[in-house]
Amino acid sequence: GGNPLLLLETLRAQWLSGTWSGPKLPRTDRVGSLLESTVRRLKPHARRLAAWLALSGGRYDSAVASRVLARGDAGVVSDWAELAAEGIVRGFGFTHDLYRDTVLALTPEPEAAALHAAIARHIPESADPPAAHVAASHLVQAHLHAQAGSRYKDLALAFRAQRRHDDESLCWQSALGCFRAADPDGDALLGAEA
């Protein structure tokens, strides 16, 4: 996939500069400006949907997007249509990683943190280990370290019950790091379970 104009502009810049950076094409200034102007033109709800898509892993699910963004199905469908009309998305994801990177770069930190928190809230506490790990990661990105620590602690206990000691150890380390980030005396929050 991808955008032929972006490819041509990148190849042109590589040819003119006499450089080649390997299998992954770099983002040229001209391409970067084009991508940024396209993303900046979006209506606020469409930009927020693009930010959610970038932060959540890049796979579109309208039901999840509606819940996380607290926007009705019709609104999310309309926002997705705007993203598709601008050539930012196709199918269930971004047309190019450069669009994802541009959206991430243009999303202010407070908005990104709020979206990470919203994404984590919509992953049940009883989720399977991979989903629980994703939730904890989003909580860390949202700077909700105590909540992330609790998720990692629960994961460590689940791994202990499954006798997956390497995974358990990693989760205890993550929990401790989160609790320390939340409170320098966070070790006490782990309790006697460790």
Side-chain angles (χ1 to χ4, degrees):
N3 184 326
L5 176 62
L6 300 181
L7 177 62
L8 289 175
E9 283 298 320
T10 301
L11 291 174
R12 179 179 165 274
Q14 292 286 298
W15 178 265
L16 292 175
S17 69
T19 62
W20 182 258
S21 59
K24 186 172 181 180
L25 294 175
R27 177 180 145 160
T28 66
D29 290 340
R30 193 165 170 183
V31 168
S33 295
L34 176 66
L35 296 172
E36 286 180 19
S37 70
T38 302
V39 172
R40 288 182 195 281
R41 271 197 315 266
L42 297 171
K43 294 176 187 158
H45 285 296
R47 274 184 77 173
R48 194 156 197 268
L49 177 60
W52 167 80
L53 183 65
L55 294 170
S56 67
R59 181 95 175 131
Y60 177 68
D61 181 321
S62 64
V64 174
S66 293
R67 287 192 311 272
V68 170
L69 300 173
R71 188 145 162 79
D73 290 338
V76 168
V77 168
S78 172
D79 299 337
W80 187 260
E82 181 180 348
L83 294 174
E86 289 290 344
I88 296 171
V89 298
R90 179 179 51 235
F92 294 103
F94 287 101
T95 55
H96 199 283
D97 289 344
L98 291 175
Y99 270 121
R100 179 184 130 343
D101 296 345
T102 300
V103 167
L104 289 173
L106 294 176
T107 302
E109 169 59 30
E111 182 181 349
L115 282 169
H116 278 298
I119 292 165
R121 272 194 308 273
H122 287 85
I123 298 173
E125 300 255 349
S126 61
D128 62 344
H133 188 273
V134 168
S137 297
H138 281 292
L139 290 167
V140 168
Q141 294 298 316
H143 311 291
L144 299 171
H145 298 291
Q147 291 177 35
S150 292
R151 286 278 183 121
Y152 281 124
K153 177 183 172 183
D154 292 345
L155 266 171
L157 294 172
F159 285 136
R160 177 185 288 173
Q162 297 170 6
R163 299 190 182 283
R164 292 174 55 186
H165 300 298
D166 289 344
D167 291 330
E168 176 191 357
S169 177
L170 290 172
C171 287
W172 281 123
Q173 290 172 20
S174 295
L176 182 59
C178 289
F179 287 135
R180 283 189 173 147
D183 173 9
D185 298 325
D187 305 49
L189 294 175
L190 287 171
E193 322 253 2

